[in-house]
């Protein structure tokens, strides 16, 4: 369970986050949606202790990430390319992750088989450094790295970015299958409203740092309200 209490973050006069109280339950697939500048990435960075809030705190399973690193044992995240070691090949990068987490290489290779469809024949065996991959393939490497240690909390910022339509659909299945098989909590932010609605069990709508809607999304029930909101926002 993630608890957000009285979180505030500003950059100059711009309010990036102002959330009095918000709880993310174990097993949620929570989609964060909002226009540019809504505060989605800022919130993720504060959850991951990459950015300090001006006020308030986040706790993950009652642990404040700013005070303990224990939460890292069960958290996998991909925010941007800085999460990659780009002078390695994908195989070397995954082997490195295995070594620092005491996972045998044979088991790493076995776990990666689950992501062969997502890799699409363009990641493994190419003898390319990560820095020389396309933006879409870097994205895939980042997503796979976030899932590789089988964390119980997964945080992905704009995971559908740079992916072709086939890969986007495969990724939806990867995430929903992972949630179903492990019970993991998954947080994603995305500008792709349709894909977010398709996979999320719950959706938080952000506007200028505020969560203005917290919507259950069983069977895509949030679709109409969200589509109406963004249509109105586009017209205003």
């Amino acid at each position: 369970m993630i608890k957000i209490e009285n979180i505030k973050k500003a950059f100059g006069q711009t309010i990036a986050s102002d959330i009095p109280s918000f709880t993310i339950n174990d097993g949620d697939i929570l989609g964060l949606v909002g226009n540019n500048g809504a505060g989605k990435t800022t919130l993720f960075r504060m959850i991951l202790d990459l950015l300090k809030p001006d006020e308030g705190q986040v706790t993950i399973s009652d642990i404040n990430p700013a005070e303990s690193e224990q939460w890292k044992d069960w958290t996998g995240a991909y925010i941007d390319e800085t999460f990659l070691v780009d002078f390695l090949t994908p195989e070397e990068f995954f082997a490195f992750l295995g070594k620092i987490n005491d996972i045998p290489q044979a088991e790493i290779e076995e776990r990666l088989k689950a992501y062969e469809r997502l890799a699409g024949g363009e990641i493994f065996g190419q003898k390319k450094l990560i820095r020389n991959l396309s933006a879409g393939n870097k994205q895939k490497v980042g997503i796979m790295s976030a899932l590789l240690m089988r964390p119980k909390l997964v945080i992905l910022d704009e995971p559908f970015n740079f992916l072709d339509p086939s890969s986007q659909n495969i990724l939806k299945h990867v995430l929903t299958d992972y949630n179903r098989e492990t019970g993991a909590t998954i947080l994603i932010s995305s500008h792709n409203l349709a894909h977010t609605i398709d996979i999320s069990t719950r959706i938080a709508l952000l506007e200028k740092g505020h969560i203005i809607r917290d919507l259950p999304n069983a069977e895509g029930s949030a679709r109409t309200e969200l589509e109406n909101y963004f249509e109105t926002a586009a017209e205003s």
Side-chain angles (χ1 to χ4, degrees):
M1 179 183 290
I2 299 173
K3 290 185 178 180
I4 297 168
E5 300 174 286
N6 298 312
I7 281 287
K8 292 185 179 181
K9 183 65 181 180
F11 299 102
Q13 299 300 311
T14 302
I15 302 298
S17 191
D18 186 354
I19 303 173
S21 179
F22 191 68
T23 299
I24 302 165
N25 301 310
D26 292 342
D28 278 351
I29 302 180
L30 177 72
L32 294 183
V33 298
N35 289 316
N36 288 337
K40 303 183 295 297
T41 301
T42 296
L43 179 56
F44 278 174
R45 288 188 174 278
M46 289 191 290
I47 292 173
L48 293 168
D49 194 36
L50 299 173
L51 185 66
K52 301 294 185 186
D54 297 329
E55 299 179 27
Q57 69 172 7
V58 175
T59 56
I60 304 174
S61 298
D62 296 323
I63 295 170
N64 185 334
E67 298 174 354
S68 168
E69 295 194 347
Q70 184 180 355
W71 59 279
K72 293 182 179 180
D73 294 339
W74 63 74
T75 302
Y78 183 67
I79 302 296
D80 56 36
E81 290 182 23
T82 63
F83 280 55
L84 305 175
V85 183
D86 69 356
F87 57 82
L88 301 178
T89 67
E91 289 92 339
E92 290 170 340
F93 179 51
F94 295 134
F96 167 72
L97 294 177
K99 286 180 180 179
I100 64 175
N101 287 281
D102 296 321
I103 307 296
Q105 178 62 20
E107 185 171 345
I108 291 296
E109 292 174 2
E110 185 64 28
R111 291 184 184 189
L112 287 171
K113 290 179 181 178
Y115 307 115
E116 286 180 348
R117 285 189 68 225
L118 180 62
E122 298 179 330
I123 303 295
F124 304 118
Q126 302 304 301
K127 298 182 179 179
K128 284 186 177 182
L129 302 181
I130 291 172
R131 66 164 65 113
N132 295 328
L133 296 177
S134 68
N137 286 333
K138 289 178 185 176
Q139 188 84 351
K140 292 177 184 180
V141 171
I143 292 166
M144 288 188 280
S145 71
L147 298 173
L148 190 59
M149 296 303 121
R150 296 179 178 167
K152 68 178 186 180
L153 172 62
V154 179
I155 299 178
L156 301 172
D157 193 23
E158 298 288 351
F160 300 105
N161 268 9
F162 312 118
L163 301 186
D164 60 45
S166 294
S167 297
Q168 290 177 1
N169 283 318
I170 292 169
L171 177 58
K172 288 195 294 185
H173 289 292
V174 166
L175 295 178
T176 54
D177 288 349
Y178 186 83
N179 169 262
R180 184 180 64 253
E181 292 165 4
T182 67
T185 305
I186 300 178
L187 280 58
I188 68 166
S189 72
S190 182
H191 286 108
N192 191 312
L193 188 61
H195 288 333
T196 305
I197 292 170
D198 284 346
I199 69 171
S200 300
T201 59
R202 180 181 174 196
I203 294 178
L205 174 59
L206 279 77
E207 183 177 287
K208 297 180 180 179
H210 301 270
I211 295 177
I212 61 171
R213 303 278 196 286
D214 178 10
L215 303 172
N217 189 48
E219 305 297 326
S221 59
R223 186 180 306 275
T224 299
E225 183 169 350
L226 290 169
E227 288 177 348
N228 289 340
Y229 169 82
F230 285 109
E231 285 179 10
T232 301
E235 293 169 358
S236 61

